[in-house]
Amino acid sequence: MKIETTSNGMTTTTTTYLKYNQAKVILNMEGNEQSIVQDYTSEVKSTMKHQLEIFNASLAFDIIGWVTLMVAAILITLQMVGKLSLIPIPKISMIAKCVLIASTVFLMISMFVFCGLSNARKNDCKDQMGAAAAGSSTAEQIDACDSDYFKSFIGDVEISGQSMKWGPHLSFGAVVVSSGLSLIACIITIVCGVFVNEETAGK
């Protein structure tokens, strides 16, 4: 996740990259750049509870998706060189097709889970407002957590002379692309029958 804040009065840009376990902050002031990488403290983890749940769940499905995708790629390669039938496993062609479909499902779940990050931010905001301002009215708490930042997955706002942009970073793009390519591969496999039982085909 990338969050970029720019001060309009002077050339100062702060870029924050949020990951599942740490944050990287890059400060660019008048062309001079400084960066710091810091693991989340227990206090930060408590304030980002729902967001970290999204990060971890999305990462878990992403890893499973990539592992099964690599297995599917190996099986496809073996099929292309005519060696898949040498694997002594019954119905290996069907298993290979199921692995490819499973990898697509896991990657797409990872993508859609991460799209829930904006709602997680809003829930974290409500939790913090409830803890810090227990005496305020519910309406005041809702207003504080009702800005575009807490409602939109991608967006930009301008507050007090500062512009703020946020959205997913390159890793999310990689998941989207791999999900799309994997889905296309599944369609080709189902429609064109890439995995064909060699024994049956030879009869």
Side-chain angles (χ1 to χ4, degrees), residues 153-167:
F153 183 58
I154 303 173
D156 60 273
V157 294
E158 195 160 325
I159 304 174
S160 303
Q162 290 188 329
S163 61
M164 179 180 177
K165 301 178 182 179
W166 66 91

Side-chain angles (χ1 to χ4, degrees), residues 55 68 101 114 137 142 148 165 174 191:
F55 279 125
T68 52
I101 294 173
F114 195 76
S137 66
I142 292 175
D148 289 340
K165 301 178 182 179
V191 174

Side-chain angles (χ1 to χ4, degrees), residues 13-15 24-29 31-36:
T13 302
T14 304
T15 306
K24 180 179 181 180
V25 180
I26 301 175
L27 176 64
N28 190 315
M29 182 179 293
N32 298 319
E33 187 173 284
Q34 294 181 335
S35 64
I36 182 172

Side-chain angles (χ1 to χ4, degrees), residues 98-111:
C98 290
V99 170
L100 180 58
I101 294 173
S103 68
T104 303
V105 171
F106 287 130
L107 288 171
M108 294 192 75
I109 289 176
S110 173
M111 180 179 65

Side-chain angles (χ1 to χ4, degrees), residues 36 38 80 82 95 97 124-125 127 132 136 146 149 161 172:
I36 182 172
Q38 192 167 21
M80 292 175 64
I95 293 174
K97 185 182 295 185
D124 283 332
C125 177
D127 288 348
S136 62
D146 204 34
Y149 177 67
F172 180 74

Side-chain angles (χ1 to χ4, degrees), residues 75 77-93 96 195-201:
L75 295 175
T77 302
L78 291 175
Q79 172 67 22
M80 292 175 64
V81 298
K83 301 296 184 181
L84 185 62
S85 61
L86 297 179
I87 299 178
I89 300 178
K91 298 183 179 180
I92 184 62
S93 296
F195 292 109
V196 179
N197 189 306
E198 294 182 2
E199 294 182 359
T200 304

